[in-house]
Amino acid sequence: MSELVEELKGLIIEVLNLEDISPEDIQPEEPLFGEGLGLDSIDALELGLALQKKYNITIDAESETTKTHFASVSNLANFVADSRRG
Amino acid sequence: MPNHFTLSAWRAWAPGIGDQSDWVRWRRGELSLAGDVLPDVSFLPAMQRRRLSALAKAAFSTAQPLLAGRDMLLLCCSVHGEARRTYSLLQDVVGSEPLSPTAFGLSVHNAIAGQLSILCGIRSPALALAGGDLPLQAGFLEAAGMLAEGFPELLLLFCEEPLPELYRHSAQSPPFICATALHLSAGCAGEMVSCELVQADAGEPESAFESAEYQLPLIAALVDGGGRVPLGQGWEVRIGG
């Protein structure tokens, strides 16, 4: 799982073009949006697209659980791992 | 329409040339435009500058020092805008790839005006112009019109980048990124450099001023502190003197 967490940190930095931010700066439990890393709604769409491309995961934008999945890197890692198994 | 106004400051950026002293050296022939250097926008927080294209960075590096936290009308002129971003989206369409929401949102012609407005906290109107074959004329006529309408001051920006290879047989673009920002205000104020918009002879047939590197004659006149810059169709702007 920690490998996936690191992979996702790298993906976030790359697709969102987070200049000056290194994987160590992102805490797995830290909120990605608003407070914390400070990502916004466009980032959420961009990140959803990247996950779809890289892991072939379909994301339901209307679903309440999607919010939870995107709350932190750690939640994203669980979501990706579960989707792969499913 | 009053055609006199004041030029209180200007900035320009091209690869290898960032500040006024560099432009003076360029004018003397000591410095040439070259390299793939990116404009320095380190004054913006990293989370704000991450979505800016190289062209938008050039726009910010020239406009932001002139705005200096003040709120004024923005006039952003660019013939092709961020055509490279649009082109990369089209490539994704061709490849049946999903489109990047960020690139899609910023591929519109007023994206740079919008980003300047948001990141510099501008609440005044912001306008994006293309200007066709006559971007300088479009920009200066619009600026003179806005000042005549009662706006006390404005920021006039020109910015261009090289077009993707595919378009080059059918449209002109400069071989490098270039941006020029001018702070203009209504009327003529004492010590400042004056600008006059003149239609020398409307009836006279002459070639339109349509060089892809149209900003360079303007920058040359700005460096010299005076000069006549042809805008096309008989119009010219007389800077200083």
Side-chain angles (χ1 to χ4, degrees), chain A residues 16-20 37-40 42-43 45-46 49 53, chain B residues 46-47 49-52 57 92 97-103:
Chain A
L16 305 182
N17 199 16
L18 302 183
E19 292 178 30
D20 297 356
L37 196 56
L39 303 183
D40 60 25
I42 302 277
D43 293 317
L45 291 169
E46 201 70 51
L49 185 70
K53 274 187 182 175
Chain B
M47 288 301 272
R49 63 173 185 257
R50 66 203 173 99
R51 285 178 185 147
L52 302 178
K57 284 180 176 169
D92 286 341
E97 292 283 329
L99 302 183
S100 154
T102 312

Side-chain angles (χ1 to χ4, degrees), chain B residues 8-214:
Chain B
S8 42
W10 66 274
R11 290 282 189 286
W13 188 93
I17 303 190
D19 60 25
Q20 313 304 86
S21 61
D22 285 348
W23 281 111
V24 172
R25 291 180 60 206
W26 165 78
R27 190 72 180 119
R28 289 193 202 129
E30 297 167 8
L31 213 58
S32 51
L33 313 181
D36 47 8
V37 195
L38 281 178
D40 178 21
V41 286
S42 53
F43 51 82
L44 287 172
M47 288 301 272
Q48 291 189 358
R49 63 173 185 257
R50 66 203 173 99
R51 285 178 185 147
L52 302 178
S53 66
L55 182 67
K57 284 180 176 169
F60 268 82
S61 75
T62 55
Q64 201 264 1
L66 299 190
L67 291 168
R70 287 167 304 178
D71 189 351
M72 66 181 87
L73 178 82
L74 296 176
L75 278 181
C76 301
C77 306
S78 181
V79 178
H80 299 294
E82 292 179 83
R84 302 176 82 88
R85 215 192 272 272
T86 314
Y87 181 66
S88 77
L89 280 171
L90 290 173
Q91 284 178 309
D92 286 341
V93 171
V94 170
S96 302
E97 292 283 329
L99 302 183
S100 154
T102 312
F104 185 75
L106 296 176
S107 66
V108 291
H109 202 68
N110 58 0
I112 288 179
Q115 289 174 100
L116 267 175
S117 169
I118 293 167
L119 299 185
C120 297
I122 306 284
R123 288 170 184 272
S124 298
L127 189 67
L129 292 175
D133 287 337
L134 304 166
L136 281 179
Q137 186 193 96
F140 276 100
L141 277 177
E142 192 69 28
M146 288 296 188
L147 294 172
E149 281 288 303
F151 286 94
E153 59 178 346
L154 59 85
L155 184 112
L156 176 59
L157 172 79
F158 297 96
C159 63
E160 301 294 344
E161 67 180 354
L163 281 173
E165 192 69 43
L166 181 81
Y167 300 118
R168 292 192 193 159
H169 69 280
S170 55
Q172 285 193 64
S173 66
F176 44 79
I177 291 178
C178 189
T180 312
L182 309 164
H183 177 215
L184 303 176
S185 42
C188 297
E191 316 270 293
M192 304 288 193
V193 178
S194 68
C195 274
E196 190 185 2
L197 194 59
V198 184
Q199 194 169 24
D201 188 350
E204 189 185 318
E206 40 81 52
S207 63
F209 181 69
E210 56 187 10
S211 161
E213 293 172 53
Y214 66 84

Side-chain angles (χ1 to χ4, degrees), chain A residues 5-79:
Chain A
V5 164
E6 289 311 307
E7 193 175 294
L8 285 169
K9 285 182 184 178
L11 182 77
I12 289 168
I13 290 169
E14 189 198 326
V15 302
L16 305 182
N17 199 16
L18 302 183
E19 292 178 30
D20 297 356
I21 290 181
S22 64
E24 300 79 56
D25 297 330
I26 305 176
Q27 303 306 317
E29 307 297 333
E30 172 189 53
L32 287 173
F33 297 89
E35 300 288 310
L37 196 56
L39 303 183
D40 60 25
S41 57
I42 302 277
D43 293 317
L45 291 169
E46 201 70 51
L47 197 52
L49 185 70
L51 293 175
Q52 197 181 318
K53 274 187 182 175
K54 183 157 183 163
Y55 303 107
N56 199 23
I57 303 173
T58 328
I59 294 152
D60 180 2
E62 303 298 320
S63 163
E64 270 301 307
T65 54
T66 302
K67 265 190 203 165
T68 320
H69 296 327
F70 277 70
S72 65
V73 173
S74 163
N75 284 19
L76 266 183
N78 286 326
F79 172 55

